[in-house]
Amino acid sequence: MGTPARILIVDDEEAIRFSLEELLTRDGHQVVAVESGERALAALADQRFDLVLLDLKLEGMGGLEVLSALRQQTLDTAVIVLTAHGSMETAIQALRQGAHDYLLKP
């Protein structure tokens, strides 16, 4: 296994957060999981992350807003958008804003 990554999970679905956190922690990574865009930005202000797994549909501040704010703060954090409500338009928008990948949840 390589060097453990610091990963931020941003998803409003508790089951998704729990599952991803369990799997990634078991794999040796340091994981922080939050349920909102506002909490994501607070975590990003306090800590450095190697990867952000970001849902688009969040209460309050949406995932694209979080991505935009993140890119204003730092350019080197990898962001993978995970969403169940994707469209070609949101995929293009996310990639243009600096997301590294865009994946649909099953």
Side-chain angles (χ1 to χ4, degrees), residues 5-16:
R6 292 198 37 80
I7 301 171
L8 175 62
I9 299 167
V10 186
D11 200 303
D12 60 344
E13 293 181 54
E14 185 176 359
I16 298 288

Side-chain angles (χ1 to χ4, degrees), residues 2-39:
T3 305
R6 292 198 37 80
I7 301 171
L8 175 62
I9 299 167
V10 186
D11 200 303
D12 60 344
E13 293 181 54
E14 185 176 359
I16 298 288
R17 283 193 319 272
F18 178 79
S19 296
L20 288 172
E21 186 174 13
E22 281 290 310
L23 289 169
L24 294 167
T25 300
R26 194 175 308 146
D27 203 32
H29 301 290
Q30 297 174 11
V31 179
V32 173
V34 298
E35 73 283 352
S36 70
E38 293 82 4
R39 288 190 181 233

